[in-house]
Amino acid sequence: MGKILSDTTPVPADPATETVPAGESAAIRAAAVLARGGLVAFPTETVYGLGADATSAAAVARLYAAKGRPSFNPLIAHVADLDAVRALARLEGDGLRLAQAFWPGPLTLVLPKAPACPVSDLATAGLDTVAVRIPAHPLAHAILAAFGRPVAAPSANISGHVSPTTAAHVAADLGGRIDLIVDGGPVAVGVESTIIACLGAPVMLRPGGLPRAEIERVLGHPLGDGAAARGPTERPAAPGLLASHYAPRASVRLEAASLAPGEALLAFGPQPLPGAEQAAKVLNLSPRGDLVEAASNLFGYLRALDGCGAASIAVMAVPRHGLGEAINDRLRRAAAPRDAADEEIEG
Ligand code: TXA
Ligand code: MG
């Protein structure tokens, strides 16, 4: 972790991070902080985001510094409605169909930038495309509507940590480094948005909170896959998608069929694992085997098991359909070896 932080500009001392409950004035307060270039963490339906004015390079630079995130990893611009999307990006064809079917919701579209797109080049990492999302959370919507400009918002965690699904997770990572946390309680979905590039035939860059099958149903054909769509020498299609994202401190062992002494267990479903009685700690993503419930518990349980002090977290197999695709993607990244090269570029 020291490595990640030492690679970035130090964050200017921030007097204090204030936390406000979701209430009538929360959106107005948040918009005022954004307008003066400040950083606001707020709930979306997927995970908590760390917001900054996407049109201000200075605000976006503060955001990268607060997260300890390398600046060539582009950000999602969040807006309140389709008119606001059209000011940023060209939305037509399949992109428009997906937008109409799924926004507001856990879907991000990578689109060609509009000629007068006001999003700062720092937020798009100098690409000629822009990632856009209309989130469904009412508080996120209220903040975006009150602010009236696009909000760049990555997940509100230190770069490389597990994404936050409660305000307490945000405070644990970013307390003292950002201006405001709007506490809207635990999020509903629990994994980040599905990212689809609509720059030709639609391609999935990141599985997420909107299952592949729902997208394919609207498109009427199977989706291209980000990994398959790029050659071996090209940069990752979604630049932030590196193997060892979402990493707890403990090592993570997937598809565990039994438990080693001293391990913590991330369980799934009604069947206990042999040796589970002796686990350092056991949390079950969904005892009844429900993938929606499992997604909403995933990051919080990874944090909690990581915090129990066990050196290794054994994870039971999780089915791959529906939200299982995103859950397995995040688990695979949590389990990936963390070599130095990955640490420098994760988001
Ligand atoms: O659910 C979510 O998407 C959350 C909430 C806060 O909205 N946000 C989120 O942001 O997960 P972040 O920054 O953690 O992930 C954004 C991903 C990164 O992998 C980044 O590389 C990719 O989107 N991305 C952004 N702009 C892109 C672009 N123009 N082309 C390809 N990938 C892009
Ligand atoms: Mg993230």
Side-chain angles (χ1 to χ4, degrees), residues 46-47 49 69 73-76 78 110 127 129 131 133 153-155 192-193 195 205-206 237-241:
T46 57
V47 298
R69 176 186 242 200
N73 190 357
L75 303 170
I76 299 169
H78 296 69
V110 173
L127 299 169
T129 58
R133 179 158 106 83
S155 49
E192 299 86 345
S193 61
I195 305 182
L205 302 185
R206 174 176 78 181
L241 284 191

Side-chain angles (χ1 to χ4, degrees), residues 25-37 40 142-149 180:
S25 59
I28 307 294
R29 287 278 304 284
V33 173
L34 291 169
R36 61 173 165 79
V40 178
I143 293 169
L144 294 169
F147 182 50
R149 290 204 286 269
L180 187 68

